Amino acid sequence: DEQRHAFVSSQFAAQQSYYAQIYPEADHSLILVEGRPVGRLYLARQEDQLRIADITILPEDRNAGIGSYLLKELQEEALSSGKPVLIYVETFNPSMRLFERLGFQQIEEQGIHLLMRWSPNARQT
């Protein structure tokens, strides 16, 4: 348990360092449902886009509409600001279906990562 905790802590610190370097302006938010932490969202509100650096929902809380709700909120923010929403998604990530369902489209491929974009101009109902 001690080694596992040390490994997870070092991985988290490395990820935090990477995000801080790449997206220094990003907000790091804890996702709460009825006061209980269920995930996290790293969002960079950049001049020309809303960049989701990371969105994670705990496995036991997935498929409950939490991700859909958050993404729709970001789409509303993007709509009012006129900025697109972008995120890299791994090709094998089951959340790909969610992004596609919400109107995100693939605009670039980098190995196993796809850059997905939702544009306020292409809003789907």
Side-chain angles (χ1 to χ4, degrees):
D1 281 345
E2 208 172 295
Q3 285 181 334
R4 186 176 14 238
H5 179 72
F7 174 76
V8 169
S9 293
S10 70
Q11 290 292 97
F12 179 76
Q15 186 181 54
Q16 290 289 98
S17 175
Y18 172 78
Y19 287 146
Q21 188 176 25
I22 302 299
Y23 305 108
E25 74 285 2
D27 293 326
H28 299 196
S29 303
L30 193 59
I31 301 168
L32 302 173
V33 172
E34 297 178 355
R36 184 176 58 86
V38 297
R40 66 180 183 198
L41 172 66
Y42 295 160
L43 177 67
R45 288 178 173 90
Q46 299 176 334
E47 187 176 319
D48 61 342
Q49 65 183 268
L50 301 178
R51 176 62 71 113
I52 302 170
D54 186 39
I55 182 169
T56 304
I57 307 293
L58 292 173
E60 60 270 21
D61 292 296
R62 293 179 187 158
N63 300 311
I66 299 165
S68 295
Y69 173 81
L70 291 170
L71 291 170
K72 287 176 184 176
E73 289 290 309
L74 289 175
Q75 287 174 318
E76 287 299 319
E77 180 179 338
L79 188 62
S80 66
S81 68
K83 298 177 184 179
V85 181
L86 287 95
I87 184 172
Y88 275 103
V89 182
E90 295 162 327
T91 56
F92 54 83
N93 189 326
S95 68
M96 178 72 71
R97 290 186 302 277
L98 170 62
F99 288 104
E100 290 171 341
R101 191 174 73 240
L102 294 177
F104 283 76
Q105 296 181 343
Q106 175 186 335
I107 60 169
E108 185 179 303
E109 185 173 347
Q110 292 186 356
I112 63 165
H113 295 97
L114 302 177
L115 182 59
M116 305 291 291
R117 179 179 195 262
W118 181 86
S119 173
N121 303 352
R123 185 173 184 184
Q124 297 179 346
T125 55

